[in-house]
Amino acid sequence: MRKVPRVVLGKIGLDSHDTGMRLVSSLLRNAGYEVIYAGLFNTPETLVKAAIDEDVDVVGLSFHSGGQVEKVHRVLELLAKKKANIPLVVGGVIVQDDIPKLKAMGVREVFVPGSSADDIIRFFRGAFGGGHQA
Amino acid sequence: MGAPEETNKRLRYLISEGLTGISISCDGPTLVGIDADHPLAEGEVGLVGCSICTLDDIEVIFSDIPIESLRPLLIYAQPASAIIFAMFLLLCKRRGIDIRQLEATIQNDPIYQMSGGALECLDKFTPVELAMRLSLDTIEYCAKNMPKAKPIGINAYNVRERGVDAVTEVAYGIGLAVDMAAALVERGVGIDEFAPNISFFMSTHIDFFEEVAKYRAARRLWARVMKQKFQAQREASCRFRVAVQTAGSSLTTQQPLNNIIRTASEVIASVLGGVQSIRATPYDEGICLPTESSARIAIRTQQIIFEETGIGNTADPLGGSYYVEWLTNQIEDRAAMELEEIEKAGGVVAAIKSGRLERAVNDAIEKRQAKMSVGEDVVVGVNEYVVAEEDVGIQDIYRADLGLEEKRKEYLMRYRSEREGQSVSRAREELLKLAKQGVNLISPIMQALEAKMTMGEIADALREAYGFVLRGA
């Protein structure tokens, strides 16, 4: 893994609640990560393409309107098809029942409301390295 | 609720609980003006609201509901807003309802209707020029045919909920109203013909006195703008009419029942600020669509405050308080300054395109997070008084029916196959032709609907008239 891990952040679908993703984007940048901000209105296809084209180390997906299990499933399917072994992190309003489901599918971590900035950065450092020293 | 049938059932329940106005939230595809079977709608149908694609859908939603005695509220983004408004007009026509008497409210905001990324959303699904025209068409149509309708509710709520402060909310709200009023005057509609029916939609946030002062300040600023800039003659033109919703963004996912208290406090601030109508946000806002029980508590919150506390016995009860008067002056001055800057930038659309609003939003989000993480801003249950392992405390989380998408696709396929192909293509040609001319599009859209064009097809024809291609499909 390169010294400065590269993360792509995006939302899939038509939901446009982007406050959380913007915040995480600036958190990660300030902590020394390189963030590719894919923003709103991605399809699983466009997001996976961005992840591969930009050669990222982590994909971060944000959800606020449900349907995350189906969408994450599709993203994982596409990544597998491209033989791209890129870890996935999910954040947003995720109903409790979906968290074990997402993790069983292979999502590395799920951050729900209440996750602190420290939690997120600590996890990224532990899992993907990089970032400034705390 | 996802399906028109389900929405109709919930509406009837709420009416039996004492509801006096009705509004139907739509799903993502409807919000951006595409049908449920569009490729971009995949995985989105019925997720956050009702899927509305055809004139028949509106018939189903309002079946057995006496729309003439309720105050219907249509809240959609363009181009769906104008199309659903046209569906509604046809529904009234079929039922023999006199639209001149109808007290309908159409939010009809051309640009703020999407929840996030004003800049990213502005031209993504519909060219902003088309959105603006359809909103102006709706207002003009109402000024001529529906004197009791409120054809524009500027959605400053969504601007505020993205993180900016009360001052920016007032400035961008009034700023958009000014731009639209100027465009209507240019069309030849007299200011006093439509201004009395302009209203605003704002967010009552958690800072109690600031919110009271905000509504007082906005009222003064609006009156001044109408008198000085537009030379409005009628007193009604100068009245700042505002519907509010309590701030969804002030509610927490943690310990969600605490939100009932937050909402109650915001309802009280709204009443003391003198607003015209209030929607109390249900306590499960941060988790799911409201359940029957959370929707009921939201209604009861208002009923207790209005009917038990006597809070509405006098207007402006905080007028004369040194603190509230001082805050009102502060907000009024700062909002007037920001409004002037927006005007200098060339209006609200230009200000958004320049990234001005975007920067304000990003700054606000970061500032708020910084304050919360050092504990300068306390949010109970989030950064203070946290409980370790909590049961969400909501037993019946509403989950969307993921099978709905297939049902809606089948429905649309049937709808399209059962109509007369020739009259549809004729209607499409006619609509395209009229959209390229400068005419008011409400009646042409009604004709297209009667020829059984769907919402998405009409939206596409309008986009095509503007040479706009929807990307991402």
Side-chain angles (χ1 to χ4, degrees):
Chain A
M1 204 169 275
R2 59 173 80 79
K3 253 197 174 139
V4 178
R6 197 179 276 184
V7 187
V8 65
L9 291 181
K11 283 178 80 86
I12 293 176
L14 301 175
D15 173 52
S16 56
H17 289 88
D18 60 356
T19 304
M21 180 169 64
R22 281 167 184 254
L23 191 59
V24 170
S25 163
S26 82
L27 266 180
L28 290 174
R29 277 188 186 133
N30 292 339
Y33 290 85
E34 188 181 339
V35 176
I36 317 280
Y37 189 79
L40 299 171
F41 312 126
N42 294 283
T43 62
E45 288 76 10
T46 59
L47 205 104
V48 166
K49 186 172 185 306
I52 292 171
D53 289 353
E54 299 284 349
D55 187 27
V56 301
D57 303 295
V58 192
V59 173
L61 298 176
S62 162
F63 296 99
H64 291 81
S65 65
Q68 49 273 351
V69 171
E70 294 72 21
K71 284 169 185 154
V72 164
H73 180 77
R74 181 78 186 126
V75 168
L76 289 168
E77 225 174 46
L78 289 167
L79 284 171
K81 217 163 93 186
K82 303 265 183 198
K83 301 202 171 21
N85 186 22
I86 309 174
L88 218 64
V89 179
V90 166
V93 176
I94 313 288
V95 290
Q96 217 119 45
D97 298 356
D98 281 355
I99 297 174
K101 280 187 215 160
L102 289 169
K103 288 195 173 166
M105 287 159 63
V107 170
R108 291 288 287 277
E109 191 53 271
V110 178
F111 291 102
V112 294
S115 311
S116 73
D118 290 346
D119 293 342
I120 294 171
I121 298 302
R122 203 175 309 127
F123 168 78
F124 267 79
R125 282 195 187 124
F128 314 116
H132 306 307
Q133 284 311 302
Chain B
M1 308 295 108
E5 295 79 7
E6 218 187 323
T7 302
N8 178 257
K9 223 169 82 189
R10 175 64 72 90
L11 274 180
R12 292 198 217 182
Y13 165 77
L14 289 173
I15 289 167
S16 71
E17 288 289 312
L19 195 74
T20 57
I22 43 173
S23 151
I24 317 296
S25 286
C26 67
D27 66 358
T30 310
L31 180 75
V32 303
I34 57 177
D35 284 336
D37 56 357
H38 191 282
L40 281 175
E42 195 184 327
E44 300 283 335
V45 177
L47 218 51
V48 295
C50 187
S51 165
I52 306 171
C53 306
T54 66
L55 181 54
D56 290 1
D57 287 340
I58 284 288
E59 294 261 6
V60 171
I61 291 169
F62 290 109
S63 137
D64 288 327
I65 288 173
I67 42 178
E68 64 279 20
S69 59
L70 292 163
R71 272 166 300 169
L73 179 58
L74 307 179
I75 306 180
Y76 308 100
Q78 295 297 12
S81 174
I83 300 168
I84 294 172
F85 173 55
M87 290 177 182
F88 194 77
L89 293 174
L90 288 168
L91 179 73
C92 291
K93 197 168 137 194
R94 284 184 186 176
R95 288 191 184 177
I97 296 167
D98 179 9
I99 57 170
R100 299 198 69 84
Q101 298 303 323
L102 198 69
E103 291 186 45
T105 300
I106 310 121
Q107 180 117 318
N108 190 30
D109 183 300
I111 54 177
Y112 296 145
Q113 208 50 44
M114 307 280 286
S115 303
L119 187 59
E120 252 177 305
C121 296
L122 198 60
D123 266 329
K124 172 72 190 181
F125 298 99
T126 303
V128 64
E129 295 75 18
L130 170 60
M132 188 62 94
R133 172 181 175 188
L134 290 171
S135 291
L136 296 172
D137 285 353
T138 304
I139 300 172
E140 190 182 31
Y141 186 93
C142 289
K144 291 187 177 144
N145 304 296
M146 298 174 72
K148 291 190 175 174
K150 310 296 178 205
I152 176 74
I154 302 284
N155 190 345
Y157 181 93
N158 281 2
V159 180
R160 179 73 187 278
E161 288 290 285
R162 296 188 64 221
V164 298
D165 65 8
V167 170
T168 300
E169 180 189 19
V170 171
Y172 274 84
I174 292 183
L176 179 55
V178 166
D179 291 354
M180 294 181 79
L184 283 162
V185 169
E186 203 168 302
R187 280 186 182 202
V189 192
I191 187 80
D192 288 311
E193 279 177 65
F194 65 86
N197 289 333
I198 294 177
S199 67
F200 294 82
F201 174 49
M202 294 177 106
S203 165
T204 303
H205 223 276
I206 196 75
D207 188 328
F208 192 86
F209 290 110
E210 182 175 85
E211 291 303 313
V212 175
K214 175 184 83 181
Y215 294 119
R216 302 176 85 244
R219 213 172 284 132
R220 300 207 296 223
L221 188 55
W222 177 245
R224 207 166 64 221
V225 167
M226 288 321 266
K227 279 183 199 145
Q228 292 177 2
K229 196 176 169 70
F230 292 100
Q231 284 83 47
Q233 299 301 316
R234 288 176 61 187
E235 208 182 292
S237 299
C238 304
R239 279 193 198 125
F240 183 82
R241 297 170 51 263
V242 60
V244 307
Q245 180 173 336
T246 62
S249 66
S250 72
L251 305 185
T252 65
T253 308
Q254 299 87 338
Q255 304 177 39
L257 293 173
N258 292 348
N259 292 330
I260 298 171
I261 318 299
R262 295 190 176 96
T263 295
S265 161
E266 291 162 358
V267 167
I268 295 170
S270 306
V271 177
L272 296 177
V275 308
Q276 275 65 40
S277 88
I278 300 173
R279 175 182 184 254
T281 304
Y283 68 85
D284 48 6
E285 171 86 356
I287 298 158
C288 56
L289 287 185
T291 60
E292 284 195 358
S293 132
S294 73
R296 185 195 302 119
I297 290 174
I299 298 173
R300 295 290 179 261
T301 302
Q302 301 200 45
Q303 288 164 334
I304 291 167
I305 292 170
F306 299 151
E307 296 181 25
E308 294 185 14
T309 71
I311 195 172
N313 287 351
T314 181
D316 197 23
L318 294 184
S321 142
Y322 82 91
Y323 180 55
V324 171
E325 294 295 352
W326 176 83
L327 261 179
T328 305
N329 290 338
Q330 286 278 313
I331 294 175
E332 187 187 357
D333 289 350
R334 287 175 50 208
M337 256 159 55
E338 195 165 341
L339 184 60
E340 214 172 290
E341 283 166 22
I342 293 169
E343 277 180 42
K344 269 191 215 142
V348 155
V349 171
I352 293 173
K353 282 189 173 169
S354 74
R356 201 190 167 84
L357 180 59
E358 229 45 27
R359 283 193 295 278
V361 167
N362 285 337
D363 288 353
I365 293 172
E366 288 190 31
K367 219 186 273 171
R368 161 116 176 120
Q369 185 61 30
K371 278 186 174 177
M372 268 181 69
S373 62
V374 297
E376 198 182 319
D377 282 357
V378 172
V379 181
V380 172
V382 176
N383 62 356
E384 290 274 11
Y385 319 109
V386 179
V387 290
E389 280 295 319
E390 62 176 318
D391 180 355
V392 182
I394 296 174
Q395 301 308 323
D396 48 349
I397 289 182
Y398 177 87
R399 306 279 307 237
D401 169 13
L402 292 171
L404 181 66
E405 189 164 323
E406 278 315 304
K407 285 181 219 155
R408 293 291 292 167
K409 277 186 184 168
E410 281 164 27
Y411 162 75
L412 280 169
M413 209 182 349
R414 219 168 42 242
Y415 188 86
R416 291 189 220 276
S417 72
E418 283 170 4
R419 60 191 184 179
E420 204 207 310
Q422 245 186 349
S423 64
V424 174
S425 48
R426 254 202 318 275
R428 191 178 199 285
E429 286 312 310
E430 182 67 11
L431 182 62
L432 194 61
K433 190 185 89 197
L434 292 171
K436 285 179 181 165
Q437 302 166 4
V439 302
N440 188 305
L441 286 170
I442 301 302
S443 295
I445 292 172
M446 284 167 74
Q447 276 154 22
L449 286 166
E450 281 189 305
K452 293 196 173 243
M453 278 180 80
T454 65
M455 183 273 294
E457 289 166 348
I458 293 172
D460 272 343
L462 297 176
R463 290 181 185 112
E464 193 183 316
Y466 279 75
F468 183 88
V469 183
L470 194 54
R471 277 174 232 288

